[in-house]
């Protein structure tokens, strides 16, 4: 029979037992989630990102916005009062990868969709301090001058379809047309304006 003293003196045995315990604990915690519909199915009203929003999401990631902004409202009173309804798993089923984040140098953005006008976002992205004097967010004026990249949008949408995002052939075929004459700023604003709106529309 293994004793506590034996385990502590035998490093290899201790490592094996730790890995075993973590593996069993992980299986018990994670596997059941795969069978819960509330985790694996989209909330009512959730739609896949449009080509413009999908391009904006890539810009959001490229510019490192996730380093300062989270996209997950936790179920605490202070957060719900400030940001809106807490986030639920079904809102993120089309996100690959999700942008929950854990650092908030700036506010959480999961419920920012529809809170401000497109023009507000445009001015804020050009120079945040014009609207929020105490902001330490950098400006992104080059986004207004850069054309949205339409070259690989069809490939992105086909890849996302393989992991469960329900894009139709007609949507993919029309994707380049939606991005024509649009800037990276247009795309990023479209992405921000869609965040967290599916659940809020049910309330």
């Amino acid at each position: 029979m293994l004793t506590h003293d034996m385990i502590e003196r035998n490093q290899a045995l201790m490592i094996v037992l730790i890995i075993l315990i973590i593996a069993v604990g992980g299986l018990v915690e994670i596997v059941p989630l795969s069978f819960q519909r509330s985790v694996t199915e989209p909330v009512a009203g959730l739609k896949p990102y449009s080509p413009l929003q999908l391009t904006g999401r890539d810009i959001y990631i490229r510019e490192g916005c996730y380093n300062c902004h989270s996209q997950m409202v936790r179920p605490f009173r202070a957060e719900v009062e400030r940001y809106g309804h807490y986030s639920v798993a079904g809102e993120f089923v089309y996100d690959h990868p999700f942008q929950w984040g854990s650092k908030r140098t700036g506010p959480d953005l999961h419920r920012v969709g529809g809170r401000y006008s497109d023009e507000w976002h445009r001015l804020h992205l050009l120079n945040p301090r014009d609207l929020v004097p105490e902001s330490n967010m950098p400006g992104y004026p080059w986004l207004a001058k850069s054309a949205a990249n339409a070259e690989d949008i069809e490939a992105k949408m086909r890849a996302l379809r393989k992991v469960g995002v329900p894009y139709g052939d007609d949507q993919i075929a029309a994707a380049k047309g939606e991005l024509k004459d649009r800037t990276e700023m247009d795309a990023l604003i479209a992405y921000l304006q869609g965040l967290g709106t599916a659940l809020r529309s049910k309330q």
Side-chain angles (χ1 to χ4, degrees), residues 29-191:
E29 290 286 330
I30 297 169
V31 171
L33 292 175
S34 300
F35 299 97
Q36 289 184 8
R37 296 181 66 185
S38 64
V39 174
T40 59
E41 293 190 4
V43 296
L46 183 70
K47 297 177 182 176
Y49 294 118
S50 69
L52 189 63
Q53 290 172 325
L54 188 60
T55 301
R57 186 175 189 275
D58 288 341
I59 294 164
Y60 180 94
I61 294 170
R62 183 193 75 196
E63 297 297 338
C65 303
Y66 59 86
N67 288 316
C68 295
H69 295 283
S70 60
Q71 285 187 31
M72 185 176 67
V73 182
R74 296 171 293 185
F76 303 134
R77 180 177 177 181
E79 296 216 0
V80 170
E81 287 183 353
R82 180 177 182 188
Y83 299 118
H85 194 285
Y86 58 84
S87 303
V88 299
E91 294 180 90
F92 301 99
V93 295
Y94 299 146
D95 284 60
H96 301 280
F98 58 76
Q99 297 298 307
W100 291 346
S102 59
K103 178 153 174 52
R104 287 183 183 163
T105 301
D108 185 272
L109 296 180
H110 189 224
R111 300 279 176 229
V112 76
R115 284 187 182 264
Y116 307 100
S117 68
D118 288 358
E119 186 59 23
W120 187 95
H121 281 292
R122 193 174 306 281
L123 293 172
H124 188 249
L125 288 167
L126 288 170
N127 183 14
R129 277 151 298 285
D130 286 346
L131 298 174
V132 186
E134 67 276 14
S135 175
N136 61 0
M137 174 178 156
Y140 296 88
W142 61 88
L143 297 180
K145 301 173 184 175
S146 303
N149 179 18
E151 293 305 311
D152 58 355
I153 189 64
E154 292 176 352
K156 286 178 190 174
M157 293 173 77
R158 281 193 292 268
L160 287 168
R161 184 163 63 179
K162 289 181 179 178
V163 293
V165 182
Y167 287 123
D169 290 335
D170 54 338
Q171 290 176 291
I172 296 174
K176 284 188 177 180
E178 184 175 328
L179 294 175
K180 186 178 180 182
D181 299 326
R182 306 305 290 268
T183 66
E184 290 189 333
M185 184 167 288
D186 294 331
L188 181 54
I189 291 171
Y191 171 65

